[in-house]
Amino acid sequence: EALGEHPILGPAVADLGHKRIHVVSSRALAAIPIWKRQRIYRHDRAKSMASDKMKSLHLGLPGIIGIYESTDGSLKIIDGQHRIGMLQVLKEKSASDSFDFDKILVEVYPQNGDEEEHAKDLFLEVNKAEPVKLVDLPGVAKASDRKVINQGADRLKERFPDMFSASQRCRPPHLNIDNLRDALFASNVIQKHSINTAKALEQWMLNQNEMLQAEFQSEEKRKLVSAKALAKADKFGFYLGLDSSWFYH
């Protein structure tokens, strides 16, 4: 029996009841909005992924893109937003024909029950095996706290762009913005210091940076980090990536 055809996703390859499998173009995927409670999209992360993927285009795209379908037919990306961003970067940069941008595997989850709860449950399920940050898990951080943390971290990154890395495994003296956001949440900075605006959070972090700068003037403290990391911290006046104890001041 022939499977139905979706106006955006095209024909289903398989219908398993709780989800459908489609093969979709990267262009069509780029037009689908991100689920509102997804992790923040970081284009620098997508560009970093694209740079790595350029070396292995012949292997195709690992994993599968997850899409949530509401009863009204609207679609939302619930898993794979950075891979979709990576595809757009690759499409602009790659001259190779070894990768087919018109054949991206996706799984579509039709709404079952309350939309908000069902989408949240699916998001948690598909991310159980992935390093999802605590601050990004639905229902964990207050929306107002997450907003202050996200915007405050963005302000710090804009002030010190050379000291932030797209990699979550970056080395001192760098920070990764998602690691920063998660650490700010886990250390309860917002509540502990009664911070309620992004500007106030940025100022608090700048104050911590000044204190660390003073601490790293001592020879004893400077011996605790590599000369290369210290030289870059001195050059840009950014010390928050050298020592994580400041989160708990």
Side-chain angles (χ1 to χ4, degrees):
E1 183 180 344
L3 298 175
E5 181 162 337
H6 191 277
I8 296 175
L9 305 175
V13 175
D15 190 337
L16 306 180
H18 69 292
K19 69 178 179 181
R20 303 190 312 273
I21 307 299
H22 292 257
V23 176
V24 186
S25 72
S26 60
R27 181 178 181 181
L29 286 175
I32 299 174
I34 307 299
W35 180 52
K36 64 181 180 181
R37 298 179 73 176
Q38 250 278 33
R39 287 170 281 186
I40 289 178
Y41 175 76
R42 305 282 181 194
H43 193 56
D44 56 349
R45 181 182 174 192
K47 289 195 293 184
S48 176
M49 291 168 63
S51 295
D52 288 339
K53 191 60 189 169
M54 285 288 286
K55 307 167 189 173
S56 58
L57 280 176
H58 62 287
L59 296 178
L61 181 69
I64 188 168
I65 304 298
I67 296 176
Y68 187 76
E69 182 181 46
S70 301
T71 52
D72 64 4
S74 61
L75 304 173
K76 299 287 188 297
I77 302 296
I78 201 167
D79 184 52
Q81 59 174 336
H82 286 99
R83 276 171 287 156
I84 293 173
M86 176 193 73
L87 288 171
Q88 306 316 305
V89 176
L90 285 173
K91 199 169 183 180
E92 293 174 4
K93 291 187 174 182
S94 174
S96 171
D97 57 1
S98 61
F99 188 93
D100 194 340
F101 290 95
D102 290 325
K103 293 182 179 180
I104 308 301
L105 196 63
V106 305
E107 52 187 4
V108 182
Y109 294 90
Q111 181 179 337
N112 181 9
D114 178 76
E115 179 177 352
E116 190 70 18
E117 286 302 311
H118 186 220
K120 182 179 78 171
D121 290 344
L122 283 171
F123 176 80
L124 294 174
E125 182 68 22
V126 300
N127 284 290
K128 277 181 178 177
E130 296 183 6
V132 183
K133 298 302 183 184
L134 188 62
V135 69
D136 291 321
L137 288 175
V140 175
K142 289 169 54 179
S144 56
D145 289 349
R146 187 187 296 113
K147 182 178 179 181
V148 170
I149 287 172
N150 290 346
Q151 293 180 355
D154 283 338
R155 289 172 71 106
L156 190 71
K157 183 182 177 183
E158 289 171 6
R159 187 181 287 266
F160 298 100
D162 295 288
M163 302 306 290
F164 278 79
S165 169
S167 171
Q168 293 187 15
R169 296 186 295 273
C170 61
R171 297 179 179 180
H174 305 94
L175 285 180
N176 168 266
I177 195 165
D178 290 320
N179 290 344
L180 171 62
R181 293 187 308 107
D182 208 45
L184 287 169
F185 173 70
S187 56
N188 202 29
V189 165
I190 300 298
Q191 303 301 324
K192 192 188 307 181
H193 300 283
S194 301
I195 295 171
N196 52 29
T197 68
K199 185 176 181 180
L201 178 57
E202 179 192 25
Q203 187 57 56
W204 181 82
M205 290 189 287
L206 292 175
N207 292 342
Q208 303 311 306
N209 188 58
E210 286 184 7
M211 287 191 283
L212 279 177
Q213 183 176 21
E215 289 180 19
F216 274 100
Q217 300 310 304
S218 74
E219 286 302 318
E220 184 177 350
K221 188 80 171 179
R222 295 175 78 85
K223 290 178 182 178
L224 298 177
V225 297
S226 73
K228 184 178 180 180
L230 189 58
K232 187 165 186 180
D234 286 337
K235 178 181 178 180
F236 291 98
F238 187 83
Y239 298 82
L240 297 179
L242 293 177
D243 185 336
S244 61
S245 63
W246 62 273
F247 287 107
Y248 302 95
H249 287 173

